[in-house]
Amino acid sequence: PSSSDVMAAATSYTYTIQFSGVAFEFPIPAHYRDLYGRKGSVELPFELPDGTVPLAQRVYVHAGLDVHAATPPPLALHGHPARRLAFEPVEVRLNSRVSASAEGGGEVAGRASLYFSESNAVVKLGDSAQDVMGTLGAPAGVFYKQDAAQPYLGSLQDTSGLNYFYNYPSRGLDVLFDGESHRATKFILHTNFPGHHTFGQYERCNFSLVLPPPSNSAASTAAAAAAAEERARAA
């Protein structure tokens, strides 16, 4: 290790072993604090006098050489090419919905969308597979959504009509397409949550929700009811 340190808190004592970019924290048992609980005292051994071995209780992964002086590394500046490849801010604009037409064409009203702020790109519900690929590039993979009522399909030639996903793991994004119209019907944004079955497979999507303005329908309904009541009284 590059250094070691003993830190005493109001209710606990810990011993920290420092490496470059990572530090391990060990507890000091209460009955050995007189031996090891003072900064500059004898270093904590691999084995305590009673034969027990100290066990790490916390691990710090950080930038720099000292965990106590570590600060978050700066992100690339706005507009820098590296910023576009990692953690690009994405606005989820929830201003509409998609309704399927009788022909399966995915008729769209208003079209909810994703806005990628660094690359100034937009993809919308109802966009064709070609439009999405033209905006986001070729997907890393294509996954066909198997219908539970259908038997297993063993070849790509048997996938006509099946809904399918374009997978963009570097963006933390999947796009679902209707298998008949080949238009986007759903966006899946991944947060890379520890413990989830996809943890580590996707980058975290840096998204925020942009909600539509509140509807005035309630106020309009109340005004119409008041007007009707007034007319009834006049009659």
Side-chain angles (χ1 to χ4, degrees):
S2 59
S3 64
S4 59
D5 190 18
V6 174
M7 297 187 64
T11 58
S12 65
Y13 286 72
T14 60
Y15 179 87
T16 303
I17 297 179
Q18 175 71 64
F19 297 85
S20 177
V22 63
F24 299 86
E25 182 181 274
F26 298 84
I28 300 177
H31 48 286
Y32 290 125
R33 290 175 183 171
D34 290 338
L35 291 176
Y36 308 112
R38 297 184 303 276
K39 188 171 183 178
S41 63
V42 180
E43 291 189 354
L44 191 68
F46 289 106
E47 183 176 295
L48 296 171
D50 61 359
T52 59
V53 178
L55 300 177
Q57 67 177 10
R58 188 171 298 165
V59 178
Y60 299 93
V61 178
H62 59 87
L65 301 177
D66 185 357
V67 64
H68 306 304
T71 57
L75 294 175
L77 296 176
H78 182 84
H80 191 280
R83 182 69 178 272
R84 299 187 179 186
L85 301 179
F87 216 52
E88 178 179 12
V90 179
E91 292 183 1
V92 183
R93 297 177 174 178
L94 303 176
N95 56 359
S96 59
R97 62 184 179 85
V98 172
S99 58
S101 64
E103 295 77 19
E107 188 177 324
V108 179
R111 304 213 293 177
S113 62
L114 302 180
Y115 171 65
F116 298 84
S117 60
E118 293 291 334
S119 54
N120 199 31
V122 178
V123 291
K124 307 180 185 69
L125 291 178
D127 278 358
S128 68
Q130 183 176 356
D131 290 336
V132 172
M133 188 179 295
T135 301
L136 300 180
V142 179
F143 175 77
Y144 287 88
K145 189 176 180 181
Q146 179 69 36
D147 189 341
Q150 293 179 336
Y152 173 74
L153 304 177
S155 71
L156 291 178
Q157 297 176 354
D158 301 322
T159 58
S160 60
L162 288 181
N163 297 343
Y164 57 94
F165 292 93
Y166 275 5
N167 307 126
Y168 293 93
S170 63
R171 292 181 177 270
L173 169 67
D174 292 324
V175 184
L176 176 64
F177 293 92
D178 180 82
E180 297 292 340
S181 66
H182 301 286
R183 293 187 176 275
T185 60
K186 182 186 291 186
F187 300 128
I188 299 177
L189 309 178
H190 297 270
T191 59
N192 199 28
F193 186 78
H196 193 270
H197 68 277
T198 62
F199 177 68
Q201 299 179 25
Y202 287 82
E203 296 291 338
R204 181 181 178 184
C205 184
N206 182 19
F207 69 90
S208 59
L209 301 180
V210 180
L211 301 177
S215 173
N216 293 324
S217 58
S220 300
T221 301
E229 184 178 352
E230 187 66 26
R231 289 195 297 270
R233 289 177 180 175

